[in-house]
Amino acid sequence: MRSYGQYCSVAKALDVIGDRWTLLIIRELLLRGACRYTDLRAGLPGIATNLLAQRLRELEQAGVLAREDAPPPIATTLFRLTARGEQLESVIDELGRWGVPLMVEPREGEEFRAHWLRFPVELFLLDSAPERPPVTLELRTGGEPVTVCTTPEGVRVCAEHVPQPDAVLSGTPQLVLGVLSGALELDAARARGLELEGDPGVLARLLPAARDVPAPLGGHIPVSGGGEAYARSAGDATAPGPYPAGR
Amino acid sequence: MRSYGQYCSVAKALDVIGDRWTLLIIRELLLRGACRYTDLRAGLPGIATNLLAQRLRELEQAGVLAREDAPPPIATTLFRLTARGEQLESVIDELGRWGVPLMVEPREGEEFRAHWLRFPVELFLLDSAPERPPVTLELRTGGEPVTVCTTPEGVRVCAEHVPQPDAVLSGTPQLVLGVLSGALELDAARARGLELEGDPGVLARLLPAARDVPAPLGGHIPVSGGGEAYARSAGDATAPGPYPAGR
DNA sequence: CCGCATCCGGGGCGATACTG
DNA sequence: CAGTATCGCCCCGGATGCGG
């Protein structure tokens, strides 16, 4: 990318990761760990193959990621974030947090990968009973299912399939996300097609963190111009939004 | 900007603020508050005037900023972040934090504005004696001077000129930044041209927060390929960098 | 199949000139 | 002061090819 030519740490950062697709490549590597070229392509629907190759080259030279040979059985190269690259997690986190209100409008024909849910889910869920035995919640939103697990470190999302989840939530991404963010009552979501199988207590255990939060997308909010609708629905244009604020 | 077409909060955020120059416009509005068109141009050296106009239009429509008429005496329009736009502060903060290691190489002919120093400065300085009377430190790095003030809320940078600062630090941006980040000893910086006038105790009071941190740019670090040199100089490629980590 | 390189059309971007 | 107009270039997107 052409440099901004400014002696400012924000501009310098954007010189490295401000290019189109770059931060989404970082997102994939953060979410999925070391990836093959093909895995990256699968997680970045819409990217041109030459662009992906070019970005990977640039990011390698910038010290953000490194390529390594996979262990003997398989002969392929893996792309993995360096320590410096992993420090971008907080940037991606904040971006993802800011972007959550934009998820209310599903828009026709958008791609979806279940592992992308990890950012909002780990933001919104909190284990209200960590002393009790761990539980698992499977989310089926279209693609591969993902599993939400309670761990001593907090609520985590893992891609591996768990044989006997304690509960299963099935439906469109916006219904699942609406319920998990506390913006949509479970009954309302069910009325609109969400299905919950297994132990309902699992949801109750994980959701309370989101309950404190006013509901920004309760029914059908007509999203007109953009983020404005979201700010207006919060009732006060100058107050911070209903989602957890930065830091 | 062309949408990524992904139902992911990170991609959605980048759909809005991922365009070139967009986040730097947000930076300016965060640092300087409501700005006129001309002020923005001055703080964004290198931007084409048509691009600035186009971005302002897009950001207004996205609800990130709003234009307002200035109070009666002057007849001009001001651009101000909305509440939604101000929520981008944490994104800019994290970007700026990540970019600080890139400041070691000054690169020929880069533009500089003193108010850009606010991000690193407020990151690194801490008032170790808040019970004592407030002090002010003026930084002269080329452009307009800025003043660092101790406040009940912490150390802040303000653009206004303070008549009698308790101390004055003059020198190149990288020398001033090196000292303030704790990466460069004051004596070493003086040997390379930094000048300190007034009460040296002011620096001692503000600096301790940075002292805990290993020095990444002690002498002349040969920056070769990119961020790698930084990671290597920290002594351990897998450990988090010497700057405060995210979150 | 995996990891690219090449080619080409269109549009975003950069620089300058100009205007109400 | 706050933009609009214009033009050239290069980045980006999409398709195809190709060696290991």
Side-chain angles (χ1 to χ4, degrees), chain B residues 123-202:
Chain B
L123 260 177
F124 290 133
L125 297 189
L126 184 68
D127 188 2
S128 60
E131 73 285 358
R132 297 176 51 194
V135 294
T136 57
L137 167 67
E138 186 171 310
L139 306 179
R140 298 181 186 162
T141 52
E144 344 78 273
V146 293
T147 307
V148 177
C149 316
T150 58
T151 76
E153 292 78 35
V155 179
R156 289 291 177 270
V157 175
C158 56
E160 298 92 51
H161 182 67
V162 171
Q164 287 289 345
D166 300 297
V168 177
L169 214 51
S170 320
T172 65
Q174 49 276 31
L175 284 176
V176 170
L177 190 60
V179 166
L180 294 186
S181 71
L184 201 56
E185 291 292 332
L186 180 58
D187 293 339
R190 274 174 148 157
R192 289 162 65 182
L194 189 81
E195 291 184 28
L196 172 62
E197 305 167 64
D199 177 11
V202 172

Side-chain angles (χ1 to χ4, degrees), chain A residues 38 119 175 223 227:
Chain A
T38 313
F119 288 114
L175 284 176
V223 176

